[in-house]
Amino acid sequence: MTEGASTALLTDMYELTMLDAALESGRAGRMSVFEAFARRLPGGRRYGVVAGTGRVLEAIEKFHFGTEEIDYLAGIGIVSDTTLEWLANYHFSGDIYGYAEGECYFPHSPILTVTGTFADTCMLETLILSILNHDSAVATAASRMTASARERPCLEFGARRTHESAAIHAARAAVISGFMGTSDVEAGRTYGLNIAGTSAHSFTLLHESEEEAFAAQIATMGAGTTLLVDTYDIPRGVERAVAAARGAGGELGAVRIDSGDLIAQAFTVRKQLDDLGATTTKITVTSDLDEFSIAALGAAPVDSYGVGTKLVTGSGYPTAEMVYKLVAREGDDGQMHEVAKASSNKKSVGGLKVAGRVRDEKGHSAQELIVSAQSWEDGLAYLDRSGARPLQHKLVSGGEVNQEFVGKEAIAAAAKRHDASRAELPYDGWRLSRGEPAVPTKLVDIFEGDD
Amino acid sequence: MTEGASTALLTDMYELTMLDAALESGRAGRMSVFEAFARRLPGGRRYGVVAGTGRVLEAIEKFHFGTEEIDYLAGIGIVSDTTLEWLANYHFSGDIYGYAEGECYFPHSPILTVTGTFADTCMLETLILSILNHDSAVATAASRMTASARERPCLEFGARRTHESAAIHAARAAVISGFMGTSDVEAGRTYGLNIAGTSAHSFTLLHESEEEAFAAQIATMGAGTTLLVDTYDIPRGVERAVAAARGAGGELGAVRIDSGDLIAQAFTVRKQLDDLGATTTKITVTSDLDEFSIAALGAAPVDSYGVGTKLVTGSGYPTAEMVYKLVAREGDDGQMHEVAKASSNKKSVGGLKVAGRVRDEKGHSAQELIVSAQSWEDGLAYLDRSGARPLQHKLVSGGEVNQEFVGKEAIAAAAKRHDASRAELPYDGWRLSRGEPAVPTKLVDIFEGDD
């Protein structure tokens, strides 16, 4: 694609001008702690789902300023030659701690904590937020859909309604939140996801008749395929679909309905299929579904859901609204100091934070315990005394990415993790209505610094 | 990036299985006409803005199945060896007509018309829709913002709130709709856009004091820079900002306010700047702006707007909801026949369509005239008789892309085209409230085929 192999320019210009000024002022080397978190859950959702962490780690490995990047920056003259030289030698050498993909999160959960020099850590802001905000928004919507679908499979069909590269990663995020597969072929190749799909209305319209189209599809895909039955008239479509499969010596795998009143049609089509003896033929539906319509279809005889637009656009909330804030940095005394923006309506909580989830006696998540601490060890000791499950993992050590959290295998692990994390939520976590987070956040400051 | 240089797998799986079945049924070679259009304007917008066309053309040039793509498809076994061989030799060899980027559009405007064999044309569905739906959604939101901002410059700052690749193309779409630049450095490199940005709160917090931070920024960026004044206390921030610039022998370029009640603050800060004699120092604001808040700031002494989240997410409507439908195809008689899905709530209008815009006596757009015709010539003759300005351009001829519509130069032309197209809209086009399209669509069927 146009952006090339380096991820280094996927950034806001001000990261570069800040670096330039900080190198000049002598403050660029101050040890710093940046934190990515969400102040709120958009849309009054009850929980969020972390996704994109593995992609962040892969992107950091490719965050290098090569000749082409340096040449471009030199040409536009926004930073000094000293800074260009610094950039040419840059690779992230700090540490990153964070929530693993699939974990549920709540307001102020410290989803990603990046430590290193200011120069090292400030550079990654835009890229980290782009990835986490997109992928977590999709994963959060996807989780509400799979929760509403219960045991019925959900498939991701939204590529056409979102940016072509975003589509790949929307599919990845959906699978983390329990989707069984995707229509996006590139997502299949890149991440080893299951891909799915059979035909569109155009295929039926291309042929002289619905019968001819169905026979053609079965000839290559077999009787077990899914036939789209709503191009002309649904009852006739269903009849022809079943007949086409039987003509090829089999029973039809499924019919797909893509328009109209899906609930009423599901009952009508199920009855027709049963009356025709096609009791094993399944029904899949695919028309502008979201978590609410999936829930409403719960009592209808539907076997699977294909979800498009609403999934890839976060079902009304296309960004997770995470921010990346400097929460602590070294002072002239060589000690770390909590810092936070003071003015107006955007208050931040300062300091390095260690997070754990406290369960109640029934095993449900009861509290997101976030500890402002001087060190990881202090924070973890506090969590241990509180009986909280630690939520952060060491994702990067001295610039080296922990390979457990990247690549294809990490996606299956994330899906499993999400299933467990969601299962632990209290009843409120499963509510689709707007409201308070399912698990309250408690912030404890055990920071001992003399700020 | 992970997807590599070929765009061929940025597609839904069913395009491939349909091709496979159509090659087998002998219908893949039927001449076909596909059309990309929107049934409605999401959000009750008064007009849409076409964007992404140039990207579609570039993506089609890279739509080739190389060894890696063929190997992946062979491995998952979803199509026959014959189909794999066909794919290995595929390059689009049909024609594409369409609206140029920047043009306003309305429901049923035939934004992109793709003609060729079914195999040739069906393959491009997902990729075309992904690009047009994303880019046009952003351009449409962006146009409402620049219209509300009137003469004041708007800057695109949303990279962190959308997918990292989508961010590049959101910036491109924003510039087509009148934005002056972007914070996204990769968008600057890829498309030659102006890039902008100075510093974040973290830069101020990194330093021992606001004074030290301001001095550091001015040392590298000069007194003409924009200082962010709301990290601690705005009045003190403004005072220090002006003093810092004067300390360096200049007058401050601008202050940026990123939180709080922007309208009230703009008046207060302007008065303070004027009282300090800093009458040339400008005010830029950047906190969760959308077209409505920009309009509300119209009477406040603000000089420019930085827009993030709401821009890149289409201000509530992140997809343009365009569809790609087979509207005509060859029959056994060798003639072209109109086709359209008949069932339920998703009716399409069949046939090849030629579109023009009719102006009233004052020069305002009065009608989107869409003619269902047997040929381009017939349709254009009808438009000519109606005094309508033809809206479609020949974008691809026999697989060859018209280079006028791709690359960096095409973006400036698109921005100019948008400015003119929007200026032509009647008064209703400028209304932000939900309502009917500003220009009514008239569909005329002069199709002579014996369907």
Side-chain angles (χ1 to χ4, degrees), chain A residues 67-114:
Chain A
T67 314
E68 288 179 32
E69 288 74 35
I70 296 294
D71 286 351
Y72 169 67
L73 295 177
I76 57 173
I78 55 168
V79 296
S80 69
D81 288 347
T82 312
T83 301
L84 288 177
E85 201 181 313
W86 189 93
L87 290 171
N89 294 310
Y90 176 75
H91 73 107
F92 178 72
S93 59
D95 293 341
I96 300 182
Y97 299 80
Y99 283 41
E101 290 193 84
E103 189 65 78
C104 294
Y105 73 88
F106 303 95
H108 296 284
S109 295
I111 289 160
L112 212 68
T113 304
V114 182

Side-chain angles (χ1 to χ4, degrees), chain B residues 237-314:
Chain B
V238 170
E239 200 182 309
R240 289 168 180 163
V242 170
R246 290 179 179 165
E251 196 72 307
L252 184 63
V255 295
R256 177 161 78 93
I257 311 172
D258 183 48
S259 54
D261 178 339
L262 297 178
I263 297 179
Q265 279 172 353
F267 280 104
T268 312
V269 169
R270 182 73 266 159
K271 180 165 189 318
Q272 187 183 357
L273 286 170
D274 290 346
D275 289 349
L276 290 167
T279 53
T280 61
T281 301
K282 294 185 169 175
I283 299 175
T284 188
V285 293
T286 55
S287 184
D288 267 340
L289 296 177
D290 63 12
E291 61 268 49
F292 301 100
S293 54
I294 290 172
L297 282 158
V302 169
D303 298 284
S304 65
Y305 303 100
V307 192
T309 307
K310 291 293 172 58
L311 174 66
V312 296
T313 58

